[in-house]
Amino acid sequence: MQNIFDNDVFFDGYKSLRERDDNMNDLLEQPAMKKLLPDLVGKSVLDLGCGYGHNCVDFVKRGATKVVGIDISKKMLEVAKEESSDAKIEYKNMSMTDIESIGETFDLLYSSLAFHYIDDFKTFAKAMANVTTKGGTLLFSQEHPIITATVDGNGHFNRDENGNRISYTFSDYNRAGKRTSRWFVDDVVKYHRPFGHIITALADAGFMIEEVVEPVPENWAVEKLPTIVKEYIKPNFLIVKAKKI
Amino acid sequence: MQNIFDNDVFFDGYKSLRERDDNMNDLLEQPAMKKLLPDLVGKSVLDLGCGYGHNCVDFVKRGATKVVGIDISKKMLEVAKEESSDAKIEYKNMSMTDIESIGETFDLLYSSLAFHYIDDFKTFAKAMANVTTKGGTLLFSQEHPIITATVDGNGHFNRDENGNRISYTFSDYNRAGKRTSRWFVDDVVKYHRPFGHIITALADAGFMIEEVVEPVPENWAVEKLPTIVKEYIKPNFLIVKAKKI
């Protein structure tokens, strides 16, 4: 996996985006994820792509007794160690695809908006199954497949004469594979997978799907950012909760 | 559920569509469904929305010892009884939502392109779970949620200057509910559900998702109908295979 995440321009861009109070993660994705969290009292958690470690701290507050946060970005982990340190949290600078090397199993595998960077999801799903305790939970969000679909990156909302978003145009949904786009920097590589590929890979690996959510905003989020009603036209996020069987 | 299916115009229109050798069911949906069929030797099958009964005959050929085909259309069942009769097949004129009244369980619940007519899918999923033998299979296809999404029915492909389809425009994906469109006759009522609603309802009802497929055409289908490559832009069908736990 490339490591654009330590590129200064990317790092600073991402950081300032997350600090904006109208960012979609805080308005939509994180509230939806929190609703799906299992009881964490006495549990162990592996946070895949933990970034600044804010969720790791939250897991400890919810009663988790051991949290391992991994991220490929050294810079993000530096922030995590500063802002989100706790005796129960261990941060590791490593790729998500190497999780079996940790040599432990966890009660919860958690990941916020990182899996669209994984190339071989079938193999990765099996690795995840190997590090999840039997009966444990996998909870992750990723960019919605409708967003990652379009090969030339030109998926877009269409607007009416007043500038309101009314529809969304995409292509290449059933062409799984690499997508290169600009996000703060050029050549950010993601991988598009149709829904079916994602769900089938998880089922094959030994996960029982419990819930699939394409979140819509709650009233407070619409009040804060009225244009977020665009989520009713086309969702930004796909969230999956599954149980290791 | 309304019964447009016995309307003469609808019935004749549907019949002539299915008789065309470029119809999408035979080129794409049925081949994908057949690949997912479990072993049927000695098994019982309930075919929901069996239409002309062609699949019921196929199930018997594959070794099923008992097949019940239900359909809301009396006219279609008349054709079924004529073209697809067998001592092992029983046809019943009834709504899919009444399946619990049959008072039996089946090893396979099968349905081709009928579930988008179901209003309350949560309740229906529970009814299906009640008539599926433990360890049995649910296999169904329906119109893909991207197709059923747009409230005004104006979801559409966009074309380049040579008339080739290049992208697809839709809206209202996250607005679940009734959709009224014209298909041979006016006011055909279908129900749109985002992908997550479908999968979560099945999981809640006691089905373990095994496979989700958004089929793409095989080479022979592309040779027969070159424009079918549009399925790579936007899928027509959603297929789900699940196990009753």
Side-chain angles (χ1 to χ4, degrees), chain B residues 127-178:
Chain B
M128 289 200 289
N130 287 338
V131 300
T132 311
T133 313
K134 196 179 166 181
T137 298
L138 166 66
L139 175 61
F140 72 91
S141 63
Q142 65 156 73
E143 288 192 347
H144 196 284
I146 294 175
I147 294 192
T148 54
T150 312
V151 169
D152 65 10
N154 287 335
H156 61 274
F157 279 103
N158 304 292
R159 294 170 187 262
D160 66 13
E161 60 277 16
N162 301 315
N164 299 312
R165 293 178 181 87
I166 50 168
S167 63
Y168 190 82
T169 299
F170 70 100
S171 189
D172 310 307
Y173 178 88
N174 259 339
R175 289 185 182 101
K178 194 171 166 178

Side-chain angles (χ1 to χ4, degrees), chain A residues 8-38:
Chain A
D8 282 336
V9 176
F10 180 90
F11 180 80
D12 294 342
Y14 178 79
K15 192 160 182 291
S16 62
L17 176 74
R18 289 305 303 272
E19 282 164 359
R20 287 175 56 166
D21 70 352
D22 64 350
N23 86 76
M24 293 292 285
N25 304 43
D26 293 338
L27 289 177
L28 188 62
E29 182 259 353
Q30 277 298 305
M33 289 286 272
K34 290 213 178 348
K35 275 192 197 166
L36 293 166
L37 276 176

